Structures are given as structure tokens and as C-alpha cells.
Amino acid sequence: MDWRKPLCSGGLLGLLLTALGAELAWAGAWTRQAGDGFTSRTIRYFQTDSGGENARFKELGISVYTEYGVIDPVTIGLEIDQGLRLDIAAKGQQGGRTSAFIRTRLWTGEDGDVFSLQFGGSLPVSGVQSGAIPGGDDAREIKGLMQYGRGFVTDWGNGWAEAALGYAHFTGGRADEIKLDLTTGIRPTENWIGIAQMFGTFSLRDAAFAEPDFDIVKVKLSLGRKIFGNRTLLIGLSRDVYTRGADPGFEVSVSLWSNFTLEGLFIDEDGISGD
């Protein structure tokens, strides 16, 4: 399929998912078809560079992300993230965030590109008081994103590119932030997928005294392999390439992606249906 040729907007999402694999729904600019869902479960380990074995901040985390297509242009999502501190300073402490969003696709171009808006927020859960990495505070967040995505074809397989620009307001003393995220992915075969990402967080330096106020630019590379059914296992490596007011570090993550339908979550007379 050549994404340079015009596509009708009504069948765009189905064609896109077929060409690149269902996991593309994870890319933020696209919305899911009504009744379709996607889930990502991730285990990660983060450590700051300073201090070696006695690093200032070490955390083992787990997160569950789910999004679901309510109607054709509207997708809702929920993420629960929890971390366990492993560093000497706060060993055993736990903290995380619960976030939710609604995304609506506003425009579909003739060449298969899309533009969406997303609004949401997050709440702290057992907040860990540390500004070493984002999320280490007790502020509530309200966030809006503009998202653009486009599919493309290369000699090495079908791919997609996506950009998101947004603003996050935090209650309390934490600084507000500008978000800039860039993603590109490629599927050389039906069973393999590669993703390169850049996540940028830039504080507006309006924090109260001694409250979180930092800039971080993170680069992440992920490689995924379909393992059984519609499930894909991904290994990700990320590195902070620029920071202000935060210790740079690295992260290793393992994620399991899968798709579902609402009907597949119910039990019928023959047992559990779906995946």
C-alpha cells in the first residue's frame, strides 16, 4: 500500500492498522475503531547516573495502559503507574500516578495523515517526594495535546511518524510544563517492529521555592516481536540526553502489547470469549 495515494477517510484506520499491524493504535495521533481496545503492560527499571551502585535515585516500576474506541473518532484511555524506590535514601517507598484522557480525531488528510486533540489529567498515588525524575511529587495535572500522525512506505517495510505538542498545568508548587514528543516506527515483517522516540519536558520555571522545576529530553529505542496471537513483546532502552534541575539517567523496560474487544471481556455460556 502506498500512503502517497489518496485514501478515503472512512476506511483509513482499518487500512492503517492492517498495513502496519494492530499495535500502531499505540501511536497517539490515531483513534481506535469503536469497540476495539489496546493494552500495554510494562515493567521498567530507572537509575540516575550519579553514584554508581549508590545512585541518588533507583526505581523499579510497573504500569498498565489501556485505550478503547468509544465511537469512530473518539478514544478514551487510562494508565496506572506505580514505582518502588530501591536507592538508599528512600528504599521501599512507593509512589506513582493514575491518569486518564479522551482523544478525538479532528481531521484526516487525503494522504492518510491525521490530526487529533487529547485532553486529560493525572493524580498522584502514594506520592514519593523527590524531584529527581518527573512524577516525583504530589501535584495534580491537567494536560492538553495536539497530535499529528502519518503513515509511510519504505524499502524496509511500512512505518509511521507522529508528533505531539502539549501543555501541562500542575496544582500546588510544581512548575507547568511544555511537552514535545516525537515517534517513528517501522514494521519490516509481520512479526517485528522497531520504534524510535524522543520525549521532551520543558518547565516554564514558575515553580514555588523548592518545588519540582526541571527540563528533560529523553531518547528511547524499542524492538518488538510478536510472540503469540495478537500479543507483542517489546524491550526498550532509554537515555536522558539533556537535563536541567534533574539527574540524568537511563531506563530499561519490557512491555507486553495486546488488543481486545469489549465482547471478549465477558463470559458467555461456552466460557470466556475473546483472547
Side-chain angles (χ1 to χ4, degrees):
M1 180 180 297
D2 189 345
W3 292 104
R4 293 165 293 187
K5 298 179 180 178
L7 295 172
C8 62
S9 60
L12 172 64
L13 185 58
L15 291 171
L16 193 58
L17 299 183
T18 301
L20 302 182
E23 294 84 357
L24 177 61
W26 177 82
W30 284 271
T31 53
R32 296 201 62 90
Q33 291 180 319
D36 288 346
F38 168 81
T39 297
S40 173
R41 287 145 286 191
T42 300
I43 297 175
R44 69 183 189 280
Y45 173 80
F46 177 87
Q47 176 179 313
T48 54
D49 296 336
S50 58
E53 293 184 359
N54 298 318
R56 177 182 173 186
F57 191 101
K58 292 193 291 186
E59 183 184 62
L60 181 65
I62 184 171
S63 64
V64 177
Y65 168 89
T66 297
E67 64 178 36
Y68 179 77
V70 182
I71 57 178
D72 179 46
V74 177
T75 292
I76 58 175
L78 176 70
E79 182 175 23
I80 300 174
D81 183 280
Q82 189 75 11
L84 174 66
R85 293 282 294 272
L86 302 177
D87 51 280
I88 296 176
K91 190 171 184 178
Q93 292 189 27
Q94 298 183 40
R97 283 190 171 267
T98 298
S99 59
F101 69 84
I102 181 169
R103 180 191 309 139
T104 179
R105 190 174 74 250
L106 299 181
W107 174 81
T108 301
E110 292 183 351
D111 293 328
D113 44 345
V114 297
F115 177 78
S116 301
L117 290 180
Q118 179 173 306
F119 299 95
S122 68
L123 298 173
V125 179
S126 302
V128 176
Q129 302 300 315
S130 171
I133 61 171
D137 66 276
D138 59 357
R140 298 183 179 186
E141 176 192 26
I142 300 173
K143 181 168 63 176
L145 291 172
M146 298 183 297
Q147 299 167 306
Y148 174 80
R150 185 184 182 95
F152 58 86
V153 174
T154 73
D155 293 337
W156 304 280
N158 299 318
W160 83 95
E162 187 244 324
L165 177 64
Y167 176 83
H169 169 70
F170 292 89
T171 63
R174 177 169 170 172
D176 293 345
E177 297 169 357
I178 298 294
K179 302 283 189 179
L180 175 61
D181 299 337
L182 304 174
T183 298
T184 185
I186 192 166
R187 181 178 290 280
T189 71
E190 180 182 356
N191 292 325
W192 289 93
I193 186 170
I195 305 172
Q197 296 169 285
M198 188 280 289
F199 304 102
T201 299
F202 307 97
S203 293
L204 298 183
R205 307 195 182 192
D206 56 354
F209 178 74
E211 293 296 323
D213 184 354
F214 49 77
D215 299 338
I216 294 180
V217 176
K218 183 187 299 289
V219 174
K220 182 174 183 178
L221 299 177
S222 302
L223 180 64
R225 163 78 180 181
K226 187 172 290 187
I227 52 175
F228 55 90
N230 64 357
R231 294 169 175 80
T232 298
L233 185 68
L234 296 97
I235 297 177
L237 300 174
S238 68
R239 154 65 62 181
D240 297 332
V241 296
Y242 168 78
T243 66
R244 177 193 63 84
D247 292 341
F250 67 91
E251 182 177 274
V252 180
S253 63
V254 178
S255 300
L256 180 65
W257 289 359
S258 60
N259 302 303
F260 66 90
T261 60
L262 188 60
E263 291 80 5
L265 300 179
F266 292 96
I267 299 176
D268 57 27
E269 60 183 7
D270 298 322
I272 298 177
S273 61
D275 298 334

